[in-house]
Amino acid sequence: MKQLKAIIVDDEELARKNLEFLLKDFCPQVEVVHLANSANAARQYLKDHSVDVMFLDIEMPNGSGFDLLESLPDIDFKIIFITAYHEYALKAFKYSAVDYILKPIDPEELEKAVNKASKSGSADSKEKIDLLIENMGKKGESLNKIALPSMEGLQFVNLEEIIYCESEDNYTQFFLTNGKKIMVSKTIKHFEELLDENKFFRVHRSNIINLEYIDRYVKGEGGYVVMKQGARVPVSRRRKEAFLQLFQHQQ
């Protein structure tokens, strides 16, 4: 098992110590090499030391976790945010493909996040963090860009570029306006919960469509929608009524 050198950044001493104890008990592959009580203290430590993972609180006086990340010339480590945020903020984390754990910390969730960091060899990119900061600033507004982890790496896509999604076992294929396809190693259920229900709709167990790109709906027992780029997407009987109500509302 890969050993990880970790820094914990949190302004509350009790929170720092609690996380350190949890890591020692549940994540033996993690060696906590530094506890920082502020963004500045973490910044000073990172000038002369390298780490594999940073456990980072967001809301801190005298500089937030985001301020810290924006001030670093390079990010060559994984980041796991420790946050008390809820609702809109959690969607921002998911849209940005960023790992987070909610306070109070659940040991099982901590283990999952650490195991994921252990398996992934790549550090978190500045672009990913920039997208998170942008999304966090919207506070309840519709988010317009999503990070999709594909075989080629993280790809950043505007929602208006997505025509439809199609399930392929535990993967989801995205079809974009430029003709490009992106295969993502997450289920379509994940994206059904994530994508804006006012713009996207799951018309079938295998498909989510962008309502903006519907050309027409063809009625019948096996009804289907024809997308503006020509693709035909089936509408299941179970979802037909709800779809038609939403579709007519969009007209």
Side-chain angles (χ1 to χ4, degrees), residues 28 65 107 134 139 172 175 179 224 246:
E134 178 186 331
K139 297 190 176 180
T172 302
F175 295 80
Y224 59 90
L246 190 59

Side-chain angles (χ1 to χ4, degrees), residues 13-70:
E13 183 178 6
L14 190 60
R16 295 194 300 273
K17 289 293 186 183
N18 179 57
L19 178 53
E20 184 179 26
F21 289 140
L22 287 173
L23 288 167
K24 194 171 293 184
D25 286 344
F26 295 95
C27 306
Q29 72 270 44
V30 176
E31 176 193 1
V32 177
V33 294
H34 191 68
L35 301 175
N37 63 3
S38 68
N40 189 52
R43 193 180 301 111
Q44 292 301 318
Y45 180 82
L46 292 170
K47 280 183 180 178
D48 303 310
H49 303 85
S50 63
V51 296
D52 300 303
V53 60
M54 173 187 285
F55 294 91
L56 179 61
D57 186 27
I58 296 176
E59 290 192 308
M60 296 182 290
N62 304 316
S64 70
F66 294 145
D67 293 330
L68 168 62
L69 295 176
E70 288 186 303

